[in-house]
Amino acid sequence: MDGLNRVDGEEVTVYRVADGLPDDWVTALRGARDGGVWIGTAGGGLGHFRDGRFTSYTTRNGLSSNVVTSLYEDAPGTLALVLSGRPAAGRGCHERPPRLHDRPPPD
């Protein structure tokens, strides 16, 4: 679609794939406990934006699908995802995202 828009006062910054966003079609956003933002996309998997940098998690990192339709991070920091209509969570489920709850994204 149109990427991710960040509004700071009257200034708008648009992030797209060329800037590191996993996919230009953003389907879900969730504030992260580390001060960043989790970003679900329609084909680029899961993104994490913090300190002006993107980190991406895809099927290459262990996700079963690159379509993320919903995100939730609980108080202990477990990130739960819905991938192509199927739930996945960081603990106690059949599918586990690639150790997202165990450490912050790599620099």
Side-chain angles (χ1 to χ4, degrees):
M1 299 290 267
D2 193 26
L4 179 67
N5 298 317
R6 178 180 182 197
V7 179
D8 184 8
E10 294 186 19
E11 183 178 336
V12 177
T13 304
V14 180
Y15 297 100
R16 294 193 173 87
V17 170
D19 303 305
L21 184 66
D23 190 86
D24 284 334
W25 191 336
V26 174
T27 56
L29 291 173
R30 174 70 57 184
R33 290 181 53 211
D34 66 2
V37 177
W38 291 111
I39 306 157
T41 71
L46 176 68
H48 183 265
F49 182 74
R50 182 173 172 219
D51 298 329
R53 296 180 57 199
F54 288 95
T55 302
S56 297
Y57 300 93
T58 67
T59 54
R60 290 183 177 184
N61 303 104
L63 296 179
S64 66
S65 171
N66 285 331
V67 179
V68 179
T69 59
S70 185
L71 303 166
Y72 175 76
E73 186 176 23
D74 67 12
T78 300
L79 184 66
L81 314 171
V82 175
L83 305 168
S84 294
R86 296 183 307 186
R91 297 185 184 133
C93 73
H94 300 300
E95 182 175 346
R96 179 183 168 121
R99 299 177 50 83
L100 299 179
H101 67 278
D102 293 335
R103 58 180 162 70
D107 289 15

